[in-house]
Amino acid sequence: MAVANGEVQWCFSQVKGTIEEEVSEADIISTVEFNHDGELLATGDKGGRIVIFQKDDAPKGSPRYGEYSVYSTFQSHEPEFDYLKSLEIEEKINKIKWLKRQNASHFLLSTNDKTIKLWKISERNSRACNFNLRDDLGIPRDPSEIKELRIPKLKPSDLVVEASPRRVYANAHTYHINSISVNSDCETYLSADDLRINLWHVGINGQSFNIVDIKPTNMEELTEVITAAEFHPIECNTFVYSSSKGTVRLCDMRQQALCDTHSKLFEEAEDPATRSFFSEIISSISDVRFSHNGRYMITRDYLTVKVWDLNMEKQPVEVYSVHDYLRSKLCSLYENDCIFDKFECVWNGDDTSIMTGSYNNFFHIFDRKSKNDLCLEASRESSKPKQVLKPRRVAVTGKRKKDDITVECLDFSKKILHTAWHPKENIIAVAATNNLYLFQEDVTS
């Protein structure tokens, strides 16, 4: 493993997507997710399509190590129209979650604003032939020519990957679904919208149970909305949900059927001296993720990533600044709506590093041991095979180095909202508009 100052050096692996001046809205990637062993990587886009990539079976040190090739592409959701509310429902894929593999097939859940679907991804490399009533092309045979009884056989054929819808979970959400999370029991999952969280059984699509409802009797009294929710990775009775007020509530489903009272509330006290018009907006949590060991969780707000110990509610144990240099630009970011961007955050496989996105196609990797902030850029200009990525830096003072970029030069239309980290190896996937960038640790040294 090549390391700099004891940390991983990253190099370019691949970029998937077209080089276009005008990117169509439908091609913009809206979610990225590795499966549990990292062999498959799924992306969803605003056009309702899902593309699944498969990892090449190449050892470390091989030129093809860490590379992925297209495995399957299919249309998951179509645009719909709610006639009762005269409302268009976009086909955009909000989230993809893989189920743990139980047999030869793979299963994943995908959702748009209203409808969740369960997809089965299976391989077929043989076909049935030698039928009695039809030939191998499917054409019916002349009954007068059938003189003997045939036994159908399986004949080897080219590998075909099929994506088939197994269940559709619909009509359970009034508001837009922002999260789905599969439980550690591998049988249930939750789906969350702005005001409610529902619990589903994977095998039952006609019924769900409402486990959180924060909708007030009078909507004028509404003060916060649910922004993200996730099940604990080990304890199947525990889940958390974050809010637009910057709080995270941990709930225990064993206490009562409707978890309207939380077991723990994670909230950092606000400093009155720094309060401003934008305080509530930038404190809204856009993503919450449990660590793999279940001891910690990370939350992402507009300016920071915070690490919380589940045994300590009053304040985070670690705070990482993502782009504090934007604090003076909040007014213009509010005017162009960038202040409402929802950045995701992810852990690496052993919970020692955290990754999240920023603007100008920058993304940050925070090392929890050294507290180092490694800022990198997803760019086609540095996309030569196995090219080591140069750390990037945004200059906030008058003095700046040669490769530094000033805050004024940042491109706010280029933003890394969606990222994913391979669960076992140092391979990361970063969605930049319509392109998917794959980076890996530099194993050449």
Side-chain angles (χ1 to χ4, degrees), residues 82-148:
D82 186 336
Y83 292 97
L84 291 174
K85 298 180 180 175
S86 297
L87 191 70
E88 285 187 30
I89 302 169
E90 291 182 341
E91 62 270 40
K92 173 194 168 191
I93 307 296
N94 290 345
K95 294 287 178 183
I96 291 171
K97 291 293 175 185
W98 292 90
L99 277 67
K100 283 188 177 175
R101 196 172 184 182
Q102 307 285 344
N103 51 41
S105 301
H106 297 272
F107 288 85
L108 64 81
L109 291 165
S110 64
T111 184
N112 66 350
D113 286 340
K114 299 289 182 184
T115 305
I116 306 160
K117 294 184 180 182
L118 175 67
W119 290 91
K120 177 183 179 182
I121 317 298
S122 54
E123 294 183 355
R124 181 164 53 84
N125 57 3
S126 60
R127 61 184 178 85
C129 61
N130 203 43
F131 291 107
N132 288 285
L133 302 179
R134 52 189 171 89
D135 62 22
D136 291 352
L137 297 175
I139 301 170
R141 295 174 62 198
D142 185 350
S144 63
E145 293 181 0
I146 301 175
K147 305 294 184 184
E148 59 183 357

Side-chain angles (χ1 to χ4, degrees), residues 242-255:
S242 58
S243 85
S244 57
K245 274 196 164 182
T247 62
V248 177
R249 292 174 174 86
L250 184 141
C251 301
D252 188 337
M253 292 191 293
R254 296 173 300 184
Q255 290 181 333

Side-chain angles (χ1 to χ4, degrees), residues 137-384:
L137 297 175
I139 301 170
R141 295 174 62 198
D142 185 350
S144 63
E145 293 181 0
I146 301 175
K147 305 294 184 184
E148 59 183 357
L149 181 67
R150 291 183 178 183
I151 305 298
K153 298 176 182 178
L154 285 176
K155 186 179 180 181
S157 64
D158 293 336
L159 179 67
V160 176
V161 180
E162 295 177 322
S164 52
R166 300 313 298 260
R167 286 185 180 83
V168 177
Y169 312 86
N171 305 319
H173 285 276
T174 307
Y175 307 97
H176 292 176
I177 299 170
N178 57 47
S179 301
I180 51 175
S181 177
V182 181
N183 202 346
S184 59
D185 63 12
C186 300
E187 291 184 353
T188 56
Y189 73 92
L190 64 76
S191 58
D193 64 25
D194 289 348
L195 298 178
R196 293 189 178 100
I197 299 176
N198 292 332
L199 178 68
W200 300 83
H201 190 284
V202 174
I204 303 169
N205 60 345
Q207 184 182 37
S208 64
F209 297 95
N210 182 218
I211 53 174
V212 171
D213 188 347
I214 65 167
K215 183 179 180 180
T217 308
N218 181 3
M219 284 295 279
E220 291 180 2
E221 297 172 2
L222 182 69
T223 57
E224 63 180 338
V225 295
I226 298 167
T227 55
E230 187 175 60
F231 266 121
H232 191 280
I234 300 163
E235 299 167 7
C236 61
N237 55 283
T238 306
F239 69 95
V240 293
Y241 68 92
S242 58
S243 85
S244 57
K245 274 196 164 182
T247 62
V248 177
R249 292 174 174 86
L250 184 141
C251 301
D252 188 337
M253 292 191 293
R254 296 173 300 184
Q255 290 181 333
Q256 54 198 51
L258 186 64
C259 302
D260 49 4
T261 57
H262 50 266
S263 300
K264 292 186 178 182
L265 176 68
F266 300 88
E267 182 177 22
E268 189 174 26
E270 187 184 15
D271 183 359
T274 60
R275 180 158 182 82
S276 70
F277 171 77
F278 305 107
S279 294
E280 192 166 311
I281 302 173
I282 63 173
S283 66
S284 174
I285 294 171
S286 56
D287 198 14
V288 58
R289 301 281 182 109
F290 278 109
S291 59
H292 295 86
N293 61 17
R295 170 69 189 272
Y296 301 95
M297 64 180 177
I298 47 174
T299 59
R300 172 71 208 264
D301 56 45
Y302 191 66
L303 297 178
T304 65
V305 172
K306 296 183 173 77
V307 180
W308 299 81
D309 187 322
L310 293 193
N311 298 323
M312 188 170 150
E313 300 170 57
K314 290 188 177 180
Q315 64 185 46
V317 290
E318 298 162 34
V319 179
Y320 299 99
S321 172
V322 181
H323 37 221
D324 197 59
Y325 46 79
L326 295 181
R327 203 174 283 276
S328 61
K329 302 284 182 185
L330 294 178
C331 190
S332 58
L333 291 166
Y334 177 79
E335 290 171 355
N336 64 15
D337 283 345
C338 283
I339 201 169
F340 301 107
D341 286 333
K342 292 175 169 48
F343 293 95
E344 295 174 4
C345 53
V346 290
W347 297 89
N348 69 338
D350 59 6
D351 302 330
T352 57
S353 295
I354 299 160
M355 175 170 59
T356 192
S358 182
Y359 294 106
N360 209 69
N361 278 1
F362 288 173
F363 60 97
H364 294 255
I365 296 174
F366 301 103
D367 184 279
R368 295 184 62 204
K369 187 176 181 181
S370 67
K371 302 296 185 282
N372 182 50
D373 171 13
L374 179 62
C375 178
L376 302 171
E377 182 181 9
S379 168
R380 284 187 178 269
E381 292 174 9
S382 56
S383 58
K384 293 175 184 174

